[in-house]
Amino acid sequence: KTPAGCRYRLQLSDGSKVWLNAGSSLKFPVAFSEESREVFLEGEGFFEVVGNGAPFTVHAGEMDVSVMGTSFNISAYNEDPSHKTTLVEGKVKVNSVSENASSKILKPNEQAIFDLSSESWEVKEVNAAFFTSWTQGKIEFNNENLEEVMKRLARWYDFSYTFENDEARQYHFTARLDDEEKISTILEMLELT
């Protein structure tokens, strides 16, 4: 488990590497069987999976992501309205645990978004580097509303917040921040904008 404000990198018994973002957890066995490799993610994780012939499956919220050897990012925080898988390289198959939604196969720089309320998929082309920049200590926003910005900052810097003005939730921001930046400096920048 990584608490809010922390990130962690680990190597699994098969040599696969996992980066956990703030407020995330990963359950995995001490050693994988020869037939399959399964892990359980809550929150956000970036995976570099070593291909060894045994399928590798990540169970994350309402998604199951199956791979042989590849790198991808999953964001499946319980409080988010959708769960996302972004493929960096290789190929992944994304399934929903819901019986109403079909599976999707992703190519590099594609993102599968599973809407939890409608139990439906959307696949779109993205710049995968934007969704994995957190592994290098960067926080990026691309025309995101203040509600999403504050939610992500609160995970990174471990603070709580409330909106006194509901209209402020809809202000949009684009920025690339370094995680070593003080939260007070970032909030001042948002206030000035």
Side-chain angles (χ1 to χ4, degrees):
K1 274 190 171 179
T2 55
C6 296
R7 288 175 309 287
Y8 190 74
R9 180 180 176 265
L10 64 131
Q11 185 167 325
L12 302 175
S13 62
D14 66 345
S16 296
K17 296 175 184 157
V18 183
W19 288 255
L20 287 178
N21 205 346
S24 302
S25 67
L26 185 72
K27 289 197 313 189
F28 56 93
V30 174
F32 292 111
S33 73
E34 291 183 16
E35 295 82 37
S36 69
R37 300 173 287 171
E38 290 185 76
V39 299
F40 296 83
L41 172 72
E42 287 184 21
E44 186 168 14
F46 176 75
F47 294 80
E48 283 185 356
V49 177
V50 173
N52 70 358
F56 189 101
T57 303
V58 180
H59 303 285
E62 295 297 312
M63 297 184 300
D64 292 335
V65 180
S66 302
V67 301
M68 292 300 281
T70 191
S71 57
F72 56 97
N73 193 78
I74 296 176
S75 181
Y77 287 101
N78 289 334
E79 65 273 11
D80 287 351
S82 63
H83 293 169
K84 301 172 185 169
T85 300
T86 308
L87 183 62
V88 176
E89 62 181 39
K91 189 161 110 175
V92 297
K93 180 179 180 183
V94 185
N95 295 303
S96 163
V97 296
S98 164
E99 295 179 13
N100 300 333
S102 60
S103 62
K104 301 291 179 192
I105 295 178
L106 299 182
K107 297 179 289 193
N109 288 310
E110 282 188 336
Q111 181 178 71
I113 303 164
F114 185 72
D115 184 287
L116 298 174
S117 61
S118 66
E119 296 186 345
S120 63
W121 288 106
E122 175 189 358
V123 176
K124 62 182 185 178
E125 280 193 43
V126 296
N127 177 356
F130 176 83
F131 295 93
T132 60
S133 62
W134 65 268
T135 63
Q136 281 95 43
K138 304 294 180 200
I139 308 172
E140 293 192 50
F141 304 105
N142 185 14
N143 197 29
E144 293 183 50
N145 66 40
L146 186 58
E147 187 163 21
E148 182 64 25
V149 169
M150 292 304 293
K151 181 170 37 173
R152 289 177 55 202
L153 288 174
R155 283 181 192 141
W156 270 55
Y157 288 97
D158 192 18
F159 66 88
S160 56
Y161 62 93
T162 57
F163 282 94
E164 293 178 359
N165 178 349
D166 276 344
E167 289 179 21
R169 296 174 191 263
Q170 299 311 311
Y171 294 144
H172 285 73
F173 293 89
T174 298
R176 180 181 171 111
L177 308 170
D178 193 301
D179 68 347
E180 294 180 11
E181 196 74 52
K182 291 181 186 175
I183 187 60
S184 59
T185 304
I186 294 171
L187 294 174
E188 285 174 18
M189 179 190 68
L190 291 172
E191 183 181 19
L192 288 172
T193 303

